[in-house]
Amino acid sequence: MCRSTSPYVAEAPGACLQQPPEGAPAAQAAAQSPGTTAGETWGWQLETAPCCCGCWERAAADPPSPSQMPREPRQRRAPLIPEARGGRAQRAVCVLLALCAGALLLAGESLVPTARSLIFHFATLQIGALLKGICYLAEEIFHLHSRHHGSFWKALSSCFPPRWHGPMLLICGSAYVALLGDGQPLCLHLILASLCQLLVLALGLHKPSAVEMSEMSERSKQNVAHGLAWSYYVGYLKIVLPRMKKSMEEFCRANPNLLACRKTWKLHILIPLSCDVYDDLEKADSNIQYVTDLTETTLARAGTKKRVYKHSLYAIRDEENQLWYCAVEYATPLQSLYAMSQDECAAFSREERLEQAKLFYRTLEEILKGSKECADAYRLIAYEEPEEAETCFLSREIMWHLQQEHREEITMLEGNHLHTPSMALDSAELNLQISVSDLPQPLRTDGF
C-alpha cells in the first residue's frame, strides 16, 4: 500500500516531478490541488490517470535526496510478546545442586549416616511417584476402551510414564537395607514415607504451578493458540498469500498510481492482543476508508465448490491528510479467543486470553517465517490498544508500518544504486599518454 504518488516525491498525492502535458485529465489537476475536500479526495482514488512522465522509473534509477526522504515514522510502543522459554530453569537446578553438595561437604558429617539419609529421601520421592500412578490407575481402569483401546498395559504405561521409577525404587531400597543401622525396622520407614506422600496427594500439593503447565503446553504445542495459528495458516494463509503478489499486480495495472511501492504489496494482518475485532474497519477508525476488492481466488475446498477468497483494499489517511493504500484485515482466529473468554463453558479468563493472543502471534510468526511460499507476502501488525480510547489509534498504527515499508524500499533502492557499476568514464580518471612527435615513443618516462 502506498500513497498515490511515488514515495520518493515530496508532493501532494498524484503529483509528478514534471508538469502534466496539456489536455491531461481534470482528475489529476483536482488531485494535485491542495484545497481538495475530503469527499473529493476519496472520490478520485480509482480514477487518477497514470503518471505521464515516468516519475517512478526515474525515482528507481536515481535515489532520493535527503530532503525527499519520507519523514521518520512516529515512535510507537511495541507490544511485549514473550519469547520461548529457554533452559534457565534446568541450569538453576544444576547450580543449586552444586551448592547443596558443597554445603553437605562443609557440614563435615560422617559418610554412612549421610548416605543413608540421602537414599531414604530419594526412595521417598520414588514411592510418591508410584503412589500417584496407582491413584491415577484407579480412575483409568474405568476408561480402558474409550481412552486406551482396551489395553491395560497402555493404561499402566500412561500412569507410570518414567519406566525407571520401579527399578530405581528397588535400588534405593536395597542400598538402604545395606546401610540400615539406626535400629528402626525398614517397614516403619516405608510406612512413614508412604503416609507423607499420600498426604501431599490428598492436599493437592503435587499439582504443577502455572508456569510449569504453561511450559509443558508450549513445548508440546498443545495450547489453544498453537491450534488456532496452525489452522489459520493451513486453512487460509497458505492458500491466499502465494497469490497475493499476483492480485496486487493485476490491480496496479488498472490503477498504476495507487500502489507504486512494491514493499507494500502484501497482506497486512491486524493482531490486537485484546482480541477485539471489528467486522467493519471504517467503523473502527474514521481515517480508514474502503476502496475496492482485489481479484478473487476461487477454489474447491473441503466439499465446497467455488469457494471464494478475496481481500479488501483500504485507503489510510495520515496526519498530513495524504492517502496511503494497502490490503488489510484482522486475523479472524482472534474472534474465537474473544468468544471463548465470554463463554462460561470455555472457562477462559481475560488473562489467559491475553497470554494466548501473544502466543498466537509468536506461533504464527514462526510458522510464516518457515514458509517459503508465503515469504514477503504478509506483514503482521500486533498492537495493544491503550486503556484510554484514542481517536484514530488504529490508522496511526497501520501508518507506522507503512512508513517502515517505504523506508525499507528506499534503503534497498539506494543500495542497488550504489552497487551498480557505472559505464561512463570520468575524464579525470582517463589519463592518456599522447606523444607530441609523429615518431613512436616509449611508454616509460625514466629514459629506458
Side-chain angles (χ1 to χ4, degrees):
M1 107 182 142
C2 201
R3 282 185 285 184
S4 57
T5 182
S6 167
Y8 315 115
V9 183
E11 296 288 335
C16 281
L17 290 175
Q18 297 179 357
Q19 293 295 329
E22 296 183 0
Q28 283 185 334
Q32 296 172 6
S33 174
T36 305
T37 63
E40 293 169 346
T41 305
W42 294 119
W44 57 260
Q45 292 165 358
L46 300 179
E47 299 175 0
T48 304
C51 177
C52 56
C53 60
C55 62
W56 170 257
E57 287 77 12
R58 285 203 309 279
D62 300 324
S65 63
S67 61
Q68 294 173 320
M69 295 277 286
R71 61 185 179 88
E72 289 284 346
R74 68 175 182 87
Q75 295 294 325
R76 63 187 289 268
R77 185 170 62 89
L80 297 177
I81 306 299
E83 298 179 354
R85 290 184 174 92
R88 299 179 185 87
Q90 191 63 32
R91 291 194 290 271
V93 169
C94 296
V95 172
L96 293 176
L97 182 61
L99 291 176
C100 289
L104 188 61
L105 292 175
L106 294 176
E109 296 291 335
S110 59
L111 181 61
V112 174
T114 302
R116 184 170 59 246
S117 299
L118 182 63
I119 292 174
F120 174 71
H121 288 298
F122 199 77
T124 301
L125 294 177
Q126 304 306 311
I127 291 173
L130 290 175
L131 291 175
K132 185 171 68 172
I134 292 172
C135 295
Y136 284 131
L137 183 62
E139 173 66 28
E140 295 305 305
I141 289 176
F142 294 93
H143 304 279
L144 286 179
H145 295 282
S146 60
R147 294 179 182 269
H148 307 286
H149 307 286
S151 173
F152 179 79
W153 178 251
K154 288 185 176 180
L156 192 66
S157 300
S158 63
C159 293
F160 302 94
R163 297 178 181 273
W164 49 268
H165 275 314
M168 186 62 66
L169 180 61
L170 292 176
I171 295 173
C172 292
S174 302
Y176 185 78
V177 170
L179 297 173
L180 188 62
D182 57 359
Q184 292 184 348
L186 177 62
C187 181
L188 179 60
H189 284 284
L190 294 177
I191 292 174
L192 291 175
S194 300
L195 180 62
C196 292
Q197 293 297 324
L198 289 173
L199 283 174
V200 169
L201 294 174
L203 296 175
L205 302 178
H206 68 290
K207 294 181 180 180
S209 64
V211 172
E212 290 177 291
M213 295 178 63
S214 175
E215 184 177 11
M216 287 188 294
S217 298
E218 288 185 30
R219 289 194 176 188
S220 59
K221 309 295 183 183
Q222 293 178 351
N223 270 296
V224 173
H226 284 102
L228 290 176
W230 274 103
S231 176
Y232 186 48
Y233 168 70
V234 175
Y236 180 66
L237 295 181
K238 193 176 181 180
I239 299 172
V240 302
L241 288 184
R243 298 171 172 83
M244 196 67 198
K245 293 289 186 183
K246 183 179 178 181
S247 298
M248 287 293 189
E249 289 175 358
E250 292 176 357
F251 179 82
C252 286
R253 280 196 293 266
N255 307 275
N257 284 351
L258 298 187
L259 292 169
C261 179
R262 297 183 69 90
K263 272 289 184 180
T264 60
W265 290 14
K266 57 186 66 173
L267 181 62
H268 297 76
I269 303 173
L270 301 177
I271 304 180
L273 298 183
S274 65
C275 299
D276 192 6
V277 174
Y278 288 85
D279 291 326
D280 190 345
L281 277 173
E282 293 177 309
K283 293 181 179 179
D285 195 311
S286 59
N287 281 344
I288 302 176
Q289 198 77 9
Y290 169 79
V291 178
T292 186
D293 289 330
L294 298 178
T295 306
E296 296 179 351
T297 299
T298 305
L299 297 173
R301 186 74 174 171
T304 302
K305 296 289 187 180
K306 298 180 179 180
R307 176 168 289 182
V308 176
Y309 299 88
K310 67 177 181 180
H311 310 286
S312 296
L313 190 76
Y314 287 88
I316 316 296
R317 189 185 300 278
D318 65 9
E319 296 175 354
E320 298 177 356
N321 208 35
Q322 294 179 338
L323 303 181
W324 302 61
Y325 299 85
C326 69
V328 59
E329 62 185 45
Y330 283 102
T332 53
L334 297 178
Q335 290 180 313
S336 300
L337 285 177
Y338 188 83
M340 289 174 63
S341 67
Q342 303 298 313
D343 196 323
E344 295 180 358
C345 297
F348 206 60
S349 67
R350 182 177 179 181
E351 291 75 16
E352 290 173 326
R353 184 186 70 192
L354 177 60
E355 181 184 358
Q356 292 298 313
K358 293 179 178 180
L359 188 57
F360 170 82
Y361 169 79
R362 195 185 79 199
T363 305
L364 184 62
E365 186 179 39
E366 293 173 355
I367 294 172
L368 291 174
K369 281 183 178 179
S371 175
K372 295 181 180 179
E373 53 195 351
C374 298
D376 203 32
Y378 68 93
R379 189 177 183 96
L380 301 181
I381 304 178
Y383 60 92
E384 286 184 294
E385 296 179 350
E387 296 181 359
E388 297 182 0
E390 294 184 12
T391 57
C392 305
F393 168 79
L394 182 57
S395 60
R396 290 200 304 270
E397 193 72 22
I398 298 174
M399 281 302 309
W400 187 90
H401 286 269
L402 294 179
Q403 291 167 356
Q404 287 289 99
E405 289 173 330
H406 273 262
R407 299 192 68 83
E408 290 171 8
E409 176 143 330
I410 291 174
T411 303
M412 182 183 64
L413 290 175
E414 285 181 337
N416 293 340
H417 180 80
L418 292 175
H419 290 87
T420 302
S422 175
M423 300 303 294
L425 294 177
D426 189 350
S427 59
E429 298 176 354
L430 189 61
N431 185 14
L432 298 180
Q433 295 189 5
I434 302 177
S435 175
V436 296
S437 174
D438 293 336
L439 297 177
Q441 298 291 325
L443 293 176
R444 300 181 63 175
T445 60
D446 52 3
F448 293 94

